[in-house]
Amino acid sequence: MGPRNFIVAIVLATALSAGIFVATRLQAPATLNIGFVLPAPTPLPEFALLDQSGVAITRDAFRGHWNLVFFGFTHCPDICPATLQILAAARRELQAAGQDPLPRIALVSVDPERDSPELIGQYIDNFGDNNLGITGNLEELTKLASGLGIYFEKQAGEGGAYSVDHTAAVLLVNPDAEFHALFSGPHRVENYVHDLPLIMAGS
Amino acid sequence: MRTTILLTALFIGACGVEPQPPLVATEVVVTRPMPGMAMSAAYLSLTNNTDQPIHISRVTSAQFESVQLHESSIEDGVARMRAIPVLQIPAGETATLERGGKHLMLMRPRGTFESVSLQFFDDDDLILNVDANVQAIAN
């Protein structure tokens, strides 16, 4: 190969490399911080529970909205309010950035013994407007939770007091009432602000 | 030599240098009970300035019927909360009570209030009183 051909070869190789690089960048799927999108969204299990107004609801209550679903309880003073605060703050940031649609926050009680519709309604109102509170009988809550791989178990304390152990993950349910994505943590505002638009846009 | 030490001691005394309190609280955050809710939480750092361990076995508050030491944790993806019978603070060390970890669980508020007092007992002896304004949980 003469010097001229050699130079042409280098130029072609460089152009090819640059082309491959640009194409790769353009086609690379955006990386999520903490979210895991299910390969195929799964319909929510059937259930019959109550919303914060005491109205009977089924899985259809999730239709028409993106929903950030957290299983917790109102007598949880630490992890539950901290997680819900993060979701509320993330939603505020997304709203300020013009994100549309915005996800709704849904709290499903793992403590139906104490969490009346009224109480869960008062509680969830502390984390923004248009949230969904869900409670009801234990059997139906267990049906919903176990169908989504959510664990919860009552733990006896002293003098009749008790706490409830529960899965700390946040689930994203899509407007077709399907379990769409999972956020296992760490629950930080910036992770939700980064991941939610990408997931809801289908990236 | 003895005179010098005596004079130094007198000088320090005259300058008003006071001995450090045995237990000092910093970074105190008390969350306001949410409307209708029977509980809240308090977070703070407690520094033991003595050369002996301090055992916080009891905390009381005029604003709550019950105060308990609890510890939250997330293990294998499961959130748990357990009571701690005694909070041990080794000599010269600081115990940090923070979100998602050790904290004070404040139960059954007595009415509404803007500030809270907390009394910490080392075994049976009152060792520290903390006054703090409550802070709303931001939504």
Side-chain angles (χ1 to χ4, degrees):
Chain A
M1 184 186 290
R4 190 171 173 181
N5 287 345
F6 182 69
I7 290 168
V8 169
I10 286 183
V11 168
L12 284 175
T14 306
L16 184 64
S17 302
I20 289 171
F21 175 76
V22 169
T24 307
R25 297 290 291 181
L26 287 176
Q27 290 172 7
T31 308
L32 299 174
N33 284 358
I34 60 167
F36 171 75
V37 178
L38 273 63
T42 311
L44 294 185
E46 296 278 3
F47 63 83
L49 290 164
L50 302 172
D51 71 9
Q52 66 264 47
S53 302
V55 173
I57 57 166
T58 66
R59 67 181 178 187
D60 288 343
F62 287 94
R63 289 190 192 278
H65 302 269
W66 285 93
N67 304 270
L68 286 165
V69 184
F70 181 66
F71 287 74
F73 60 115
T74 65
H75 282 65
C76 162
D78 189 42
I79 286 179
C80 299
T83 305
L84 291 167
Q85 261 185 292
I86 287 164
L87 299 183
R91 192 171 56 174
R92 276 200 310 275
E93 278 196 30
L94 289 169
Q95 186 172 25
Q99 167 65 35
D100 184 27
L102 278 173
R104 178 173 64 172
I105 297 171
L107 172 65
V108 182
S109 175
V110 293
D111 183 16
E113 201 174 314
R114 293 184 292 201
D115 289 344
S116 63
E118 185 187 7
L119 192 61
I120 205 159
Q122 278 184 302
Y123 186 81
I124 199 74
D125 279 351
N126 288 287
F127 304 98
D129 299 328
N130 304 317
N131 294 329
L132 178 62
I134 298 178
T135 188
N137 80 47
L138 183 61
E139 192 180 331
E140 291 293 318
L141 285 167
T142 305
K143 206 189 284 183
L144 173 58
S146 60
L148 294 169
I150 299 292
Y151 158 87
F152 68 97
E153 187 172 11
K154 191 172 165 180
Q155 297 291 333
E158 283 182 18
Y162 67 89
S163 181
V164 185
D165 292 353
H166 58 94
T167 299
V170 171
L171 282 59
L172 184 67
V173 172
N174 67 27
D176 294 325
E178 296 169 326
F179 177 19
H180 190 98
L182 177 72
F183 298 91
S184 298
H187 301 300
R188 293 198 190 107
V189 173
E190 61 268 28
N191 288 334
Y192 285 95
V193 170
H194 178 268
D195 287 2
L196 281 169
L198 294 172
I199 297 173
M200 292 190 294
S203 297
Chain B
M1 181 66 182
R2 182 180 287 180
T3 308
T4 307
I5 291 171
L6 184 61
L7 285 173
T8 306
L10 282 171
F11 178 74
I12 291 171
C15 289
V17 175
E18 295 177 7
Q20 283 189 312
L23 189 63
V24 172
T26 53
E27 299 169 79
V28 183
V29 175
V30 181
T31 59
R32 184 193 303 279
M34 289 185 276
M37 298 303 127
M39 60 189 53
S40 183
Y43 308 95
L44 71 171
S45 293
L46 293 167
T47 300
N48 177 357
N49 289 322
T50 75
D51 56 4
Q52 299 293 321
I54 289 174
H55 307 95
I56 302 299
S57 55
R58 188 160 60 98
V59 184
T60 60
S61 172
Q63 288 76 31
F64 292 89
E65 286 182 25
S66 173
V67 180
Q68 290 184 7
L69 283 157
H70 277 209
E71 181 165 20
S72 298
S73 63
I74 296 179
E75 292 168 27
D76 301 325
V78 174
R80 296 184 167 86
M81 189 173 68
R82 298 287 183 270
I84 308 169
V86 176
L87 175 68
Q88 298 212 31
I89 313 171
E93 292 193 14
T94 298
T96 303
L97 280 65
E98 59 189 348
R99 286 211 158 180
K102 295 187 177 79
H103 60 274
L104 293 176
M105 186 153 145
L106 313 172
M107 290 178 283
R108 298 184 295 281
R110 294 180 169 117
T112 55
F113 38 78
E114 290 303 313
S115 66
V116 165
S117 65
L118 297 165
Q119 294 77 44
F120 293 79
F121 291 83
D122 179 15
D123 294 326
D124 286 330
D125 301 323
L126 176 64
I127 190 168
L128 175 67
N129 183 78
V130 174
D131 293 308
N133 290 332
V134 292
Q135 299 181 15
I137 287 188
N139 65 9

